[in-house]
């Protein structure tokens, strides 16, 4: 997610303004601690993904200064609604930082019906819930990732318990996969070209380091 303003700008232009110029700058600039709850129906279908992101103090302060229209050093309901709309519009083309795959095939997700913003104890909090576009059965291997593909925003699941699944069916196992950064860089060195650093938005750099929730159901798929 890029820093944003109440003046709407095209997402591509917004990204271009923050393109990374050199390998030394290829690191996140915004940080959020996250929680993901995967909700499963009694029939074993994924009903929805519930997201909570709590942003770092510096970015949260920037949002406060930008959206505090009446300069009272807090965000009222109308100002929070404007934050929600801006975030919703800004990350829509990135599928709201959600990447779901079923047996290595991409799973389309519906846009969230409602994205809520809150400002609590000096931190911006974003909450939303989304559903698979088509029925998604837990069969074989299904993995869930939440990350910014341009690596500008780091979505961090501090504890494995922050990636949870409700009503895990019998015969299915849950694992949280955390790539080793050094190994990830070594394995993807050939893709870290000058073209990436000139246009990080055109890559999936965030996937290299993303923590993922992996569900494996034996004898299915």
């Amino acid at each position: 997610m890029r820093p944003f303003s109440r003046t709407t700008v095209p997402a591509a232009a917004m990204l271009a303004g923050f393109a990374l110029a050199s390998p030394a700058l290829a690191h996140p600039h915004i940080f959020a601690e996250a929680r993901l709850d995967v909700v499963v129906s009694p029939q074993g279908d994924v009903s929805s993904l519930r997201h909570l992101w709590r942003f770092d103090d510096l970015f949260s302060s920037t949002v406060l200064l930008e959206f505090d229209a009446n300069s009272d050093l807090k965000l009222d309901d109308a100002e929070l609604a404007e934050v929600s709309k801006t975030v919703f519009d800004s990350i829509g083309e990135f599928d709201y930082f959600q990447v779901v795959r079923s047996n290595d095939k991409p799973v389309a997700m519906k846009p969230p019906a409602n994205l809520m913003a809150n400002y609590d104890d000096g931190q911006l909090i974003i909450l939303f819930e989304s559903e698979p576009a088509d029925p998604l059965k837990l069969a074989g291997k299904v993995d869930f990732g939440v990350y910014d593909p341009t690596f500008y925003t780091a979505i961090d699941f501090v504890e494995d318990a922050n990636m949870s699944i409700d009503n895990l069916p019998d015969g299915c196992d849950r694992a949280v996969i955390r790539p080793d950064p050094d190994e990830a860089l070594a394995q993807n060195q050939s893709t870290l070209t000058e073209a990436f650093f000139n246009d990080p938005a055109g890559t999936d750099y965030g996937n290299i380091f993303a923590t993922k929730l992996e569900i494996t159901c034996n004898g299915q798929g």
Side-chain angles (χ1 to χ4, degrees):
M1 183 188 303
R2 299 295 186 268
F4 41 70
S5 71
R6 283 173 282 132
T7 302
T8 302
V9 296
M14 182 168 58
L15 291 169
F18 293 92
L20 304 181
S22 69
L25 296 179
H27 58 78
H29 292 66
I30 299 170
F31 300 86
E33 292 187 4
R35 179 176 179 86
L36 170 67
D37 292 289
V38 179
V39 181
V40 179
S41 73
Q43 293 74 35
D45 295 325
V46 175
S47 300
S48 66
L49 307 185
R50 295 175 180 169
H51 300 268
L52 185 152
W53 303 342
R54 184 183 294 271
F55 285 90
D56 66 89
D57 293 346
L58 179 59
F59 180 67
S60 297
S61 297
T62 302
V63 172
L64 174 62
L65 292 174
E66 180 66 31
F67 286 84
D68 181 18
N70 57 10
S71 301
D72 63 354
L73 298 181
K74 60 184 180 181
L75 295 175
D76 58 30
D77 289 346
E79 292 162 347
L80 286 170
E82 192 67 26
V83 174
S84 298
K85 181 181 184 304
T86 305
V87 173
F88 184 90
D89 293 342
S90 297
I91 65 176
E93 71 171 290
F94 300 103
D95 297 322
Y96 305 93
F97 293 172
Q98 305 172 108
V99 179
V100 181
R101 299 183 70 85
S102 176
N103 298 305
D104 296 323
K105 296 179 180 179
V107 173
M109 300 293 294
K110 297 178 183 178
N114 186 31
L115 185 148
M116 297 176 56
N118 198 0
Y119 199 87
D120 180 57
D121 197 23
Q123 289 184 297
L124 174 67
I125 300 171
I126 296 295
L127 305 98
F128 65 94
E129 183 172 7
S130 61
E131 301 175 354
D134 298 303
L136 174 57
K137 190 80 172 178
L138 285 179
K141 185 180 75 170
V142 182
D143 53 74
F144 306 87
V146 183
Y147 61 89
D148 177 357
T150 70
F151 202 48
Y152 197 92
T153 301
I155 306 292
D156 186 19
F157 294 89
V158 177
E159 300 178 356
D160 287 0
N162 290 347
M163 301 189 94
S164 77
I165 181 165
D166 189 28
N167 295 325
L168 184 66
D170 292 339
C172 296
D173 294 316
R174 164 193 173 275
V176 175
I177 310 300
R178 296 181 180 273
D180 179 88
D182 293 333
E183 291 182 5
L185 282 172
Q187 293 170 1
N188 293 273
Q189 194 65 42
S190 62
T191 67
L192 304 182
T193 62
E194 183 177 353
F196 158 72
F197 294 110
N198 289 333
D199 182 20
T203 73
D204 195 13
Y205 191 47
N207 179 56
I208 298 173
F209 302 101
T211 300
K212 296 174 184 175
L213 174 64
E214 183 178 280
I215 306 300
T216 305
C217 298
N218 295 327
Q220 304 180 56

